Amino acid sequence: MEGEAAGASPDFHFYPMDLYDSEDRLHLFPEEPTRTGREVHAEMAGEPGGAAPGKAQRDLEEDVEELVHSSALGGAGEWGAELADGSASHMEVLDHRLHGVQRDWRLGAEAEAGDRVFAGWGAAGSSRDLREAYRYAHGRASEEYECYVIPEEDEDEAALVFCVTCRAPVRAVEVSDEHRQHEVTPLSKALESAKDEIHKNMFKLEKQIIQMENFANHLEEVFITVEENFGRQEQNFESHYNEILETLAQKYEEKIQALGEKKRVKLEALYGQLVSCGENLDTCKELMETIEEMCHEEKVDFIKDAVAMADRLGRFLNTETDVEISTQPDFEDQTLDFSDVEELMGSINTIPAPSAPVINPQAPNSATGSSVRVCWSLYSDDTVESYQLSYRPVQDSSPGKDQAEFTMTVKETYCSVTNLVPNTQYEFWVTAQNRAGTSPASERAVYMTAPSPPIIKSKELRSCEEAALICWESGNLNPVDSYTVELTQAETPEASGVTESVVGIPSCECLVQLQPRQTYAIYVRALNVGGPSARSEPVTVHTTGSCFPLNQHTCPPWLTISEDGFTVMRSERKTPAKEPLPGNTQFTRCVAVMGNLIPIRGRHYWEVEVDERADYMVGVAFEDVPKQEDLGANCLSWCMRHRFASSRHKYEFLHNETTPDIRITVSPRKIGVLLDYENSKLSFFNVDISQHLYTFSCQLHGFVHPCFSLEKPGCLKIRNGIAMPKHVSFY
């Protein structure tokens, strides 16, 4: 059995036995409880805790013989002999008989082949029983494995759950075994929870990435500033060093030229004296030789020559001979003047005052509602120790006079200025400083803070199943450039969800397309050159049915609208007169108020709770309907009118002063109104009894709005934002 079970592993999975209850197994021996082979052997051997060995063996032989006859496997003698001598258990015998067909039995795609094999042993029903008997035999014969062999299941058909303790998906059948004490949840719910967790972590990761990017940008700017400062210092040192070398080289050339000139003059003087001395020496030698020759001559000749020689010697001796050296050979001490070099050396550590910085224009998205980021740069390679940033608010789009100025000292070429007023212009200028002094001021630049968050008018929200019309107030004194509407589809505004945006909205209202029967959290941001504002407070929109507010501007003094905006009341006495509104927006002939329905074509449904004894009118009308006429008295309005007099109810469906002859036997307490733009129809229903009252065929060339009128004291309660009933959807 162990070899056969191992050989079947490519086509079957092995699961622990206790994953299946006894109801899932084939009951071959229903008269006694299911037991393992070890218990059977113990019982037959007469071990304690078992039944009498003889009775157990007889019962077993009868059961095997019945199984053999029903399956047409052979006579009972062969089985009985094998069981009688104790050489094999009943499971081993059955397994031996089925061994020839085991390798051909398959489930799933090979089930048909298995049926053909087992069909040779009996009827179709017997073949199925035989297969179940085989599976039972293989599942219970080995006490060592104690497992079932079941066919491999398709992954799509296998029921999976998620084990929260192990944080892994498991099959539903495994829950009762190793995961019995663990917390499990449906796989779909675990998937949604994992997606939400991933979305939250992604949002946190995005915030952390933005913070790290901002910090990295800050480090990069500091790095660049330090690098520029040291670069300027290196250039300054190199420039001064080169200037000193040039000065020394110039002084060297000047001194060399001066020494050469003095050398030439002295040598020329000495050379002239040397030549003159040589000439005098030659003359003296010549005179001496001439005198010696004269001494050897005769007296007469001597006397003649002596006279001439005496004149010559007299003239020579009377000539002055310069025997003093014209210049001394001693070298004069040449004192070098290095004062200018020393001045240059000292100027290395003396840097000039910086020139005026250049302030940059405002970068996009560089501001919040209370801060701006101001940047500037240096026009030249100046050495700067700090900057003085000054600013003041701008009034009336021009530099303000007598405005308070603020100054702050910074080290970098940028600064985030905080504690500012939203959506306000500020004038900035900057100066640079070092030990030498302060630079001139830069040109002045105007920066603007981001706007304040808009304020959504939640009481004026209009919606239907396909769209919503959002209105808001700017929340800023100065105008802004545009608005952005953000939509988050979630159960609550705090829940995370996918956000969509509608950008570039020029006015304070926006019609956004939505999905039916969903819940949205809607935010609004304002934008200007400084960047976007923070999110507004959210408003929740449910796209179930049509939701609309009542137009306060159309409400006459006799009517009062409740705080929630959905109840219209008329009292016995007239309410205090209101200030007249421009444009004749109030009804004057009838005491009516108009609702603001979203301008979307389609089907809109709302309900009105009425008092049976009240005189009221419920209907629709165009916005430009004449306010000096009753509802239904013209071609621009349609209404259902009710009057109660002398315990009798009178109902009219008015349009252009005409009404059909209709009798309503059950007075409605709740009226349903269906406006169908697609089919140009307006229908009325008795909601309590699901009764259709009347349908107008309308010429709806534009958008109409709900109207509600009370001719006598009473109240009407409007119910909108509700799903359309089934009986209404058929009309």
Side-chain angles (χ1 to χ4, degrees), residues 257-422:
Q257 290 180 2
L259 289 175
E261 185 64 22
K262 290 181 179 181
K263 175 184 176 182
R264 184 187 62 78
V265 172
K266 286 189 174 185
L267 289 179
E268 287 180 355
L270 292 173
Y271 180 76
Q273 283 188 327
L274 182 61
V275 171
S276 176
C277 181
E279 291 177 351
N280 290 334
L281 183 60
D282 291 341
T283 302
C284 289
K285 287 181 179 181
E286 182 183 357
L287 290 175
M288 287 296 293
E289 290 176 356
T290 303
I291 291 173
E292 288 179 358
E293 289 178 356
M294 287 175 55
C295 290
H296 293 88
E297 290 180 353
E298 293 294 333
K299 295 181 179 180
V300 178
D301 294 333
F302 177 76
I303 291 174
K304 291 180 181 180
D305 292 336
V307 174
M309 180 59 66
D311 293 338
R312 184 177 176 185
L313 284 174
R315 290 192 298 270
F316 178 76
L317 293 174
N318 290 331
T319 304
E320 294 182 0
T321 302
D322 186 10
V323 293
E324 293 182 1
I325 298 176
S326 59
T327 180
Q328 296 297 325
D330 297 337
F331 181 75
E332 298 178 0
D333 186 13
Q334 299 291 329
T335 302
L336 298 177
D337 184 11
F338 287 103
S339 59
D340 51 353
V341 176
E342 292 176 355
E343 183 179 354
L344 288 174
M345 293 292 292
S347 66
I348 292 180
N349 296 324
T350 304
I351 55 178
S355 58
V358 179
I359 194 165
N360 301 337
Q362 185 173 9
N365 300 326
S366 61
T368 65
S370 61
S371 67
V372 294
R373 181 181 176 87
V374 185
C375 301
W376 58 89
S377 59
L378 290 175
Y379 183 74
S380 60
D381 297 332
D382 294 329
T383 299
V384 178
E385 297 178 356
S386 63
Y387 298 93
Q388 291 286 336
L389 177 64
S390 303
Y391 64 94
R392 65 182 178 185
V394 175
Q395 297 294 334
D396 298 330
S397 301
S398 62
K401 297 181 180 180
D402 300 328
Q403 294 293 324
E405 294 184 1
F406 305 91
T407 302
M408 52 197 314
T409 302
V410 293
K411 295 291 186 180
E412 294 81 13
T413 57
Y414 61 91
C415 180
S416 293
V417 184
T418 58
N419 299 324
L420 303 179
V421 180

Side-chain angles (χ1 to χ4, degrees), residues 51 104 151 162 180 209 333 343 360-361 379 454 575 705 730:
D104 295 322
F162 185 79
R180 181 182 295 107
I209 289 174
D333 186 13
E343 183 179 354
N360 301 337
Y379 183 74
T575 58
H705 298 283
F730 296 116

Side-chain angles (χ1 to χ4, degrees), residues 42-47 49-59:
E43 187 176 290
M44 295 178 63
E47 295 180 0
K55 182 179 183 301
Q57 185 172 0
R58 286 194 301 272
D59 294 339

Side-chain angles (χ1 to χ4, degrees), residues 458-461 547-552 560-569 593-596 708 716-720:
S458 57
K459 291 187 177 181
E460 297 183 13
L461 175 66
C547 183
F548 58 87
L550 297 178
N551 189 348
Q552 298 276 358
T560 302
I561 300 177
S562 63
E563 288 294 329
D564 61 5
F566 297 114
T567 302
V568 179
M569 297 169 288
V593 63
M594 184 177 289
N596 280 335
F708 310 93
L716 298 175
K717 186 174 182 180
I718 296 96
R719 298 182 66 248
N720 54 27

Side-chain angles (χ1 to χ4, degrees), residues 27 29 33 109 144 175 182 230 349 470 487 633 670 682 695:
H27 298 282
F29 311 105
E144 179 182 359
V175 175
H182 295 177
F230 276 95
N349 296 324
I470 313 299
L487 314 173
K670 187 183 297 182
L682 176 67
T695 297

